[in-house]
Amino acid sequence: MFSPRLISKLHDAKSIVAFTGAGMSAESGVPTFRGENGIWKKFKPEELANFDAFIRNPDLVWEWYKHRKQIIRFIQPNPGHFALAEMEALYPKFAVVTQNVDNLHRRAGNKTVYELHGNIERNYCIGCGTYYSNEEILKFESAPKCTKCKGLIRPDVVWFGELLPASQWFASLDSAEHADVFFSIGTSAVVHPAASLPLLARHAGAFVVEINLETTELSNQIDEFIPGKAGEILPELVRLLKDSATKE
Ligand code: BV8
Ligand code: ZN
């Protein structure tokens, strides 16, 4: 499953980036966006994940996010998440750069996690910026309103047409530019600017490996494509790395 080239690159590496998308959380029971049971099959991004749609129809947008928040409440990190947490301890520099908003990487134990598209466990008032937890707002039937200023409360995620959080973006850029090995895991690599990171890393000298169920726009532009499930491949890879570390 793993080429001698990848094993040797991982053996010599000092800095690793794991760039992840919805496929990373699929085995935890979180539906992907564009796969066969993708949540956007029923909805379209332009209807839901953008600010205008929210202002035009806050109840519909909230219905979708409440559905996803409910899912997130009952799911656990999967073996792929735990493998990345173990991998972080094997390298001097290790960053997870995720497009996911489900907080599963942190719950699995990764310390350096950059969330490019926000976090569905946080919400804030568009009027006065007050933050609200899911517990505080999930009791509302329709779109929740701020107790301080009556403004609409929105999920703290990055919608289409919105800028990514600058601190997360620049830290991710810096990690990509200094990575020896850059993994792109469970992402269709269609949403920008996040999707530009793998090739940016490659141009800066990283060995870029893609782990995905199917090939993507990236697959023929990077160094190695490993077909399969993140929750199966990553634990196997970490087992191999730990075995070779003990043999030394
Ligand atoms: C911005 C948060 C600029 C919300 C999300 C035309 C060309 C290029 C770009 C654009 C364009 N038109 C518009 C744009 C910009 C736009 C964009 O990229 N659109 C795309 C769709 C064309 N981007 C933006 O708007 C971004 N902002 O550009 O601002 C700007 C400049 C100046 C001033 C103001 C603004 C903001 C984008 C962020 C959108 N928010 N999410 C929410 O979650 O509700 S995006 C959403 O898609 C999620 O974050 C998700 O993570 C992300 C990417 O999807 P994936 O993670 O890749 O998931 P997907 O289902 O697609 O793929 C899963 C993969 O996993 C599949 O390949 C599957 O085979 C695989 N898989 C499944 N199971 C497994 C597996 N792999 C391994 N193991 C498994 N078990
Ligand atoms: Zn308010």
Side-chain angles (χ1 to χ4, degrees):
M1 181 190 298
F2 306 113
S3 71
R5 201 173 48 148
L6 171 60
I7 297 304
S8 115
K9 289 284 181 188
L10 284 170
H11 183 268
D12 302 344
K14 296 279 174 289
S15 163
I16 307 276
V17 168
F19 172 61
T20 66
M24 184 78 221
S25 300
E27 292 155 86
S28 296
V30 184
T32 59
F33 288 84
R34 298 168 185 85
E36 59 302 326
N37 68 345
I39 18 180
W40 271 333
K41 271 253 183 312
K42 295 185 264 309
F43 299 106
K44 287 200 206 65
E46 53 278 8
E47 283 167 14
L48 295 171
N50 75 54
F51 188 73
D52 300 340
F54 178 62
I55 295 300
R56 227 183 7 258
N57 193 341
D59 290 350
L60 172 70
V61 173
W62 262 108
E63 193 185 329
W64 182 45
Y65 279 96
K66 274 178 67 172
H67 165 68
R68 290 171 64 198
K69 286 170 180 279
Q70 297 293 9
I71 292 173
I72 300 282
R73 280 171 80 183
F74 299 108
I75 58 159
Q76 300 302 325
N78 65 57
H81 291 105
F82 290 117
L84 290 182
E86 280 188 76
M87 203 189 265
E88 180 168 15
L90 301 176
Y91 288 92
K93 284 195 76 176
F94 189 100
V96 171
V97 174
T98 190
Q99 302 168 90
N100 299 338
V101 297
D102 57 30
N103 206 34
L104 286 178
H105 286 299
R106 273 219 188 78
R107 285 179 52 197
N110 274 99
K111 302 277 175 292
T112 304
V113 178
Y114 300 124
E115 293 175 319
L116 292 177
H117 295 160
N119 186 319
I120 203 168
E121 296 189 346
R122 294 192 304 261
N123 312 277
Y124 65 89
C125 165
I126 61 173
C128 66
T130 303
Y131 271 83
Y132 289 84
S133 70
N134 281 345
E135 283 59 49
E136 290 174 283
I137 52 113
L138 278 180
K139 56 183 182 279
F140 290 95
E141 269 316 302
S142 59
K145 297 270 182 356
C146 175
T147 50
K148 293 189 183 145
C149 76
K150 300 276 171 280
L152 268 175
I153 296 173
R154 61 167 283 177
D156 188 12
V157 297
V158 179
W159 279 332
F160 286 100
E162 294 184 331
L163 281 174
L164 278 54
S167 64
Q168 305 297 295
W169 175 245
F170 289 117
S172 302
L173 265 184
D174 185 57
S175 299
E177 279 161 3
H178 296 94
D180 297 313
V181 177
F182 184 104
F183 288 95
S184 178
I185 306 167
T187 180
S188 56
V190 297
V191 175
H192 288 269
S196 61
L197 289 173
L199 292 185
L200 191 145
R202 189 152 197 269
H203 292 320
F207 183 81
V208 179
V209 191
E210 183 177 35
I211 296 173
N212 206 311
L213 273 192
E214 61 203 359
T215 55
T216 68
E217 296 178 18
L218 266 186
S219 307
N220 56 7
Q221 304 176 68
I222 48 140
D223 298 287
E224 199 139 331
F225 174 74
I226 306 176
K229 291 185 172 182
E232 292 168 6
I233 292 170
L234 289 169
E236 191 50 42
L237 183 57
V238 170
R239 231 187 319 279
L240 211 69
L241 291 174
K242 288 175 113 173
D243 283 356
S244 61
T246 45
K247 282 197 189 95
E248 276 177 5

